[in-house]
Amino acid sequence: MSGIVLHIMGAVLAISQNKRYEVDNAAQKIESAKIIMHENVYKDIDPEELAMKLGISYSWFRKVFKEYTGYAPAKYFQELKLRKAKQLLIESSMSVKEICYELNYTSTEHFFSVFKKRTNFTPTEYRLSLIHISEPTRQEAIS
């Protein structure tokens, strides 16, 4: 009887450790995906190709990525680009058109549309609204 109990306890421990490995492995894959996205913010990334590069299925990647970040991979990447656009609008003298092309948007119209939808400002309005803010506050606006 004690042999059966020890066997069951061993099986439970093995399953527990395997689940921990799966969770750690999933977290590692998602963190790798986020790093790749950050490094390629000036390019386009196809989430399906990214999943393939990480050696995982796209459906699993999309599901787990959203569980970890709260965003689907494509939406997360769009938010990264938007954050970078805001930073460039605040910290650089680049024109809006230059920023648009620097971040590899398909057109200025698309960039304006995405920016306005997410911020309620056009890129130019966003930049102008921050001109009147003091320098320390401008740094907080980036975060």
Side-chain angles (χ1 to χ4, degrees), residues 10-44:
V12 169
L13 179 62
I15 290 170
S16 168
Q17 288 176 336
N18 192 31
K19 287 290 182 194
R20 189 170 343 139
Y21 171 76
E22 288 174 13
V23 169
D24 290 346
N25 190 38
Q28 183 181 17
K29 295 285 187 186
I30 299 309
E31 286 304 315
S32 294
K34 288 169 55 179
I35 289 167
I36 291 169
M37 288 181 186
H38 279 275
E39 290 174 347
N40 291 283
V41 75
Y42 293 108
K43 300 176 184 173
D44 280 333

Side-chain angles (χ1 to χ4, degrees), residues 68-123:
Y68 274 79
T69 66
Y71 292 100
K75 184 70 171 173
Y76 182 88
F77 190 62
Q78 183 182 44
E79 291 297 319
L80 282 179
K81 281 184 172 272
L82 186 65
R83 189 176 308 144
K84 187 56 141 178
K86 289 178 180 179
Q87 181 183 1
L88 291 171
L89 285 166
I90 293 168
E91 296 178 353
S92 79
S93 60
M94 293 172 69
S95 72
V96 173
K97 193 172 189 175
E98 288 172 321
I99 292 170
C100 167
Y101 290 114
E102 182 77 17
L103 291 171
N104 210 22
Y105 280 92
T106 54
S107 69
T108 53
E109 293 79 16
H110 176 67
F111 175 60
F112 273 61
S113 172
V114 168
F115 197 94
K116 175 100 175 170
K117 186 177 183 181
R118 297 293 299 141
T119 66
N120 293 323
F121 292 102
T122 67

